[in-house]
Amino acid sequence: MDSVETEPLLSGFSAGEETPRSNSKHVSDGELERILTDDTLSFLDRLGAAFWVEFKLLFFFAAPAVFVYVVNCAMSMSTQMFSGHLGNLELAASSLGNNGIQLFAYGLMLGMGSAVETLCGQAYGARKFGMLGIYMQRSTVLLSLAGILMTVIYVLSEPILLFLGESAEIAAASALFVYGLIPQIFAYAVNFPIQKFMQAQSIVAPSAYISAGTLVVHLVLSSLVVYKIGLGLLGASLTLSLSWWIIVIAQFVYIVKSPKCKQTWQGFTLQAFSGLPSFFKLSAASAVMLCLETWYFQILVLLAGLLPQPELALDSLSVCTALSGWFNMISVGFQAAASVRVGNELGAGNPKSASFSVVVVTGISFIISAIIAIVILALRDVISYAFTGGEVVAAAVSDLCPLLALCILLNGVQPVLSGVAVGCGWQAFVAYVNVGCYYGVGLPLGAVLGFYFDYGAKGIWLGMLGGTAMQTVILLWVTFRTNWNKEVEEAAKRLRKWEDKKEELLD
């Protein structure tokens, strides 16, 4: 992060200086960069023309990406809904299993997969197409090895939950749910590299169609398995695992058969096993960055299980975290768009285009989140009935909804800035920020408010918001003061390093 200096994000509008470029012919046609550096146009004319170009790029990428993340999250949330309608214990168990244990693997796999997002995005912008398939396979190897370690944690989930102080009844039911999610671990290990590989090439629509079809299958199968066959919690989680594998297989078939991936997928190669230690370092930094964030919410759910009336606390918090997670998928879609757009433009040597893309995607994501927050407040008294019945839970959820709305508002900005960090390769820096904000401020504050001041679930959530707000402010400051010309140079150095490793192997 030594490249974060003092050039404001919008300062490039009035400049026409030369920018460093690689010697290769770039995928980007440079239209946005030409507009932003055209001194013959007024500031407002440049702003309007540049916004229209960027909006079109974001719409055709972000809209399908948002759809994919929302649908994938809907599968998990629908599983929680099916479980919740079996009873309040089942809702608490699926919440603890899904948000307490499963998110552990999800955070690790998604975090390690974001290394592919950095490298593939910049390699595609620099037209180093052959490297994308190698990066994807290399990441799959590392994530599969990590999946073996995660399986041990899943198997030991019941004693782990008991050790953390959860009740025996909830721990046993949660462990049963988690056992059915073991196949999902390895679906993650393959899915995230494939997903980042496709996103780097702005191939998102096929994933949207696949996810939509899989969601329909998932809902039908879940209803049959949980209610008709009567497999309950275990059946619900096994069905979720199966649905994720359907997505993985369908996406891989598309990659192999589609002419759009002809240059970037050149078959399986032993190069996937080369340079693993160096690749692991970037993957580990990526994993730490996102794991610290994901595990933060996981720990909040675990804390809720230690409160007085843990079932009610878990039920109300699980409804709000499920809603927050679902709506957060919209911002995660924009996060992916920001990462790809920034990575592509940096790889193509277009610093002003990269910086302008950050402004546009952050602004659009924030506006959408503000609209959702207003809707949440309007429906606060009835929104819990989609998950479970009972006026007590409904009243508890209604009490948390103002905090949920504020959380959604912050999540309109924070994930997008994390996407910018991934596109630039700042994972290690963001990891330090996450440690300080989440674990130095958020968790202690939530524990004090929830237990010492007896605010319960609301206090835990208030602490979480404090940590998230601090992280958002820091990322905003760093991003908007970034020297984008230096980021182009760093991207070129990173690609040369990995290209040299490939050439060394071939020699």
Side-chain angles (χ1 to χ4, degrees):
M1 267 304 286
D2 57 353
S3 59
V4 178
E5 295 186 353
T6 56
E7 181 177 312
L9 191 65
L10 295 176
S11 65
F13 284 0
S14 61
E17 73 274 15
E18 294 183 4
T19 56
R21 292 178 179 267
S22 66
N23 294 325
S24 63
K25 182 179 178 182
H26 305 305
V27 171
S28 173
D29 61 8
E31 180 184 4
L32 182 58
E33 193 76 6
R34 286 193 295 272
I35 293 172
L36 293 172
T37 56
D38 188 353
D39 289 331
T40 64
L41 298 175
S42 68
F43 174 82
L44 291 178
D45 287 339
R46 268 180 288 166
L47 184 62
F51 176 82
W52 178 240
V53 170
E54 182 63 29
F55 180 80
K56 288 189 294 183
L57 289 169
L58 285 175
F59 177 80
F60 287 110
F61 179 90
V66 167
F67 182 81
V68 168
Y69 284 107
V70 168
V71 169
N72 290 346
C73 184
M75 288 198 306
S76 294
M77 190 163 71
S78 65
T79 298
Q80 204 163 317
M81 288 179 176
F82 281 115
S83 302
H85 284 287
L86 291 172
N88 285 346
L89 173 63
E90 286 79 2
L91 175 61
S94 63
S95 171
L96 195 56
N98 222 357
N99 299 322
I101 299 295
Q102 180 262 351
L103 271 183
F104 185 83
Y106 182 89
L108 181 68
M109 297 296 185
L110 180 61
M112 292 183 70
S114 75
V116 183
E117 197 168 1
T118 299
L119 295 171
C120 282
Q122 295 181 1
Y124 191 74
R127 298 185 65 88
K128 298 182 183 293
F129 299 130
M131 294 302 299
L132 273 74
I134 296 173
Y135 293 148
M136 180 181 73
Q137 293 175 65
R138 194 173 288 162
S139 180
T140 302
V141 171
L142 287 176
L143 266 65
S144 297
L145 293 174
I148 297 173
L149 298 177
M150 291 297 101
T151 301
V152 175
I153 295 175
Y154 275 43
V155 171
L156 299 175
S157 58
E158 183 173 359
I160 289 173
L161 290 173
L162 289 173
F163 175 77
L164 293 174
E166 304 297 336
S167 70
E169 189 178 22
I170 292 177
S174 298
L176 180 65
F177 182 83
V178 167
Y179 295 154
L181 295 179
I182 291 176
Q184 185 190 46
I185 300 173
F186 297 95
Y188 284 161
V190 184
N191 176 74
F192 291 131
I194 286 177
Q195 189 180 65
K196 305 307 181 184
F197 169 86
M198 296 176 69
Q199 287 177 355
Q201 305 169 69
S202 296
I203 301 174
V204 190
S207 295
Y209 296 134
I210 291 169
S211 296
T214 305
L215 177 60
V216 175
V217 173
H218 175 74
L219 293 173
V220 173
L221 286 178
S222 294
S223 179
L224 290 174
V225 170
V226 175
Y227 301 132
K228 298 297 182 182
I229 301 178
L231 292 182
L233 279 175
L234 181 62
S237 56
L238 282 172
T239 303
L240 182 60
S241 294
L242 174 63
S243 298
W244 270 96
W245 272 109
I246 292 173
I247 291 175
V248 168
I249 293 170
Q251 287 185 134
F252 183 70
V253 170
Y254 176 85
I255 289 173
V256 173
K257 298 294 184 180
S258 173
K260 292 183 179 180
C261 300
K262 185 177 181 180
Q263 288 182 292
T264 53
W265 173 256
Q266 300 173 2
F268 294 103
T269 173
L270 290 176
Q271 294 177 43
F273 297 93
S274 68
L276 287 178
S278 298
F279 197 85
F280 174 75
K281 291 180 181 179
L282 181 59
S283 297
S286 303
V288 170
M289 184 193 89
L290 290 181
C291 282
L292 289 173
E293 184 173 330
T294 304
W295 296 344
Y296 177 53
F297 293 95
Q298 172 189 5
I299 294 171
L300 292 176
V301 175
L302 294 174
L303 282 177
L306 303 177
L307 291 168
Q309 295 182 302
E311 193 170 306
L312 176 60
L314 277 172
D315 285 348
S316 60
L317 199 60
S318 68
V319 170
C320 290
T321 53
L323 288 169
S324 175
W326 193 33
F327 291 124
N328 192 43
M329 289 301 103
I330 297 175
S331 296
V332 170
F334 282 106
Q335 177 188 50
S339 176
V340 171
R341 288 289 300 123
V342 170
N344 285 173
E345 294 295 350
L346 291 179
N350 297 327
K352 294 175 180 59
S353 299
S355 64
F356 186 75
S357 179
V358 174
V359 176
V360 175
V361 70
T362 304
I364 293 175
S365 178
F366 178 77
I367 291 171
I368 293 175
S369 297
I371 295 172
I372 294 172
I374 293 171
V375 173
I376 287 290
L377 290 175
L379 300 176
R380 59 185 296 183
D381 294 328
V382 297
I383 204 165
S384 70
Y385 291 106
F387 294 83
T388 186
E391 295 181 359
V392 176
V393 175
V397 170
S398 177
D399 192 41
L400 287 175
C401 270
L403 299 180
L404 172 61
L406 182 57
C407 181
I408 290 172
L409 204 60
L410 286 172
N411 285 340
V413 177
Q414 183 271 331
V416 177
L417 298 179
S418 293
V420 174
V422 170
C424 295
W426 298 344
Q427 287 94 328
F429 168 77
V430 179
Y432 289 120
V433 174
N434 287 355
V435 168
C437 295
Y438 290 152
Y439 298 89
V441 176
L443 282 179
L445 181 61
V448 169
L449 292 174
F451 293 94
Y452 184 79
F453 288 100
D454 201 26
Y455 281 104
K458 183 184 289 188
I460 292 175
W461 198 298
L462 279 169
M464 179 267 288
L465 287 177
T468 304
M470 178 176 289
Q471 185 216 30
T472 302
V473 170
I474 292 173
L475 291 181
L476 274 171
W477 174 256
V478 170
T479 302
F480 280 75
R481 298 293 296 176
T482 295
N483 186 324
W484 294 97
N485 290 316
K486 283 201 171 185
E487 291 303 323
V488 168
E489 295 174 356
E490 291 298 318
K493 290 178 184 177
R494 186 178 296 113
L495 292 174
R496 282 196 299 269
K497 171 185 174 182
W498 289 102
E499 187 71 12
D500 290 343
K501 288 183 180 292
K502 177 184 176 184
E503 291 173 356
E504 289 172 7
L505 182 70
L506 294 175
D507 292 342

